[in-house]
Amino acid sequence: MDKLLERFLQYVSLDTQSKPGVRQVPSTEGQWKLLRLLQAQLEEMGLVKVTLSEKGTVMGTLPANVEGDISRPSVLSPTSTPPRISVVKTLIRRLLKTIAAAISRWVSAMRCSPR
């Protein structure tokens, strides 16, 4: 749990608010810092094919732990925050959605598991 809290505090310490009037995505260095941090952390967690696009999308694939042709959960990580929305609230919502999606994929994979 300490690692989760540590990561969360790292995320909320970065200013990921979008720069008003800028069409470029990501529009701030803070957004790029978060993207690079997420990319490194996904690689540390064992995801493969972790990429960071020029438009600021981090994607990675979780390798299968069972034999056979199964769908592989992927992680998609957008980071843009609208200027007037609290960064903390946005990160909490994203974190909860990501956790819920991961649990759902894990439960689905367990139903398909030959074990």
Side-chain angles (χ1 to χ4, degrees), residues 19-105:
K19 188 173 183 178
V22 176
R23 296 180 63 117
Q24 177 183 332
V25 180
S27 61
T28 65
E29 182 56 32
Q31 291 172 340
W32 280 111
K33 285 180 184 177
L34 178 58
L35 289 164
R36 289 188 294 269
L37 175 63
L38 292 171
Q39 181 181 24
Q41 288 179 344
L42 290 173
E43 290 169 345
E44 288 171 17
M45 290 189 290
L47 274 75
V48 296
K49 300 180 185 173
V50 180
T51 60
L52 171 55
S53 78
E54 63 185 31
K55 294 289 186 184
T57 302
V58 178
M59 292 187 290
T61 301
L62 181 63
N65 62 359
V66 296
E67 297 295 323
D69 186 24
I70 62 169
S71 66
R72 291 173 175 83
S74 294
V75 176
L76 176 63
S77 181
T79 58
S80 181
T81 305
R84 293 196 177 104
I85 295 179
S86 163
V87 173
V88 174
K89 287 181 184 177
T90 300
L91 285 171
I92 290 171
R93 274 190 299 235
R94 287 184 184 158
L95 180 62
L96 292 174
K97 284 181 182 180
T98 301
I99 290 169
I103 290 170
S104 176
R105 287 190 300 263

Side-chain angles (χ1 to χ4, degrees), residues 2-22:
D2 290 335
K3 188 71 168 174
L4 179 63
L5 179 58
E6 180 184 319
R7 283 188 179 152
F8 177 73
L9 293 175
Q10 267 186 311
Y11 302 152
V12 298
S13 71
L14 298 171
D15 180 8
T16 61
Q17 200 168 34
S18 298
K19 188 173 183 178
V22 176

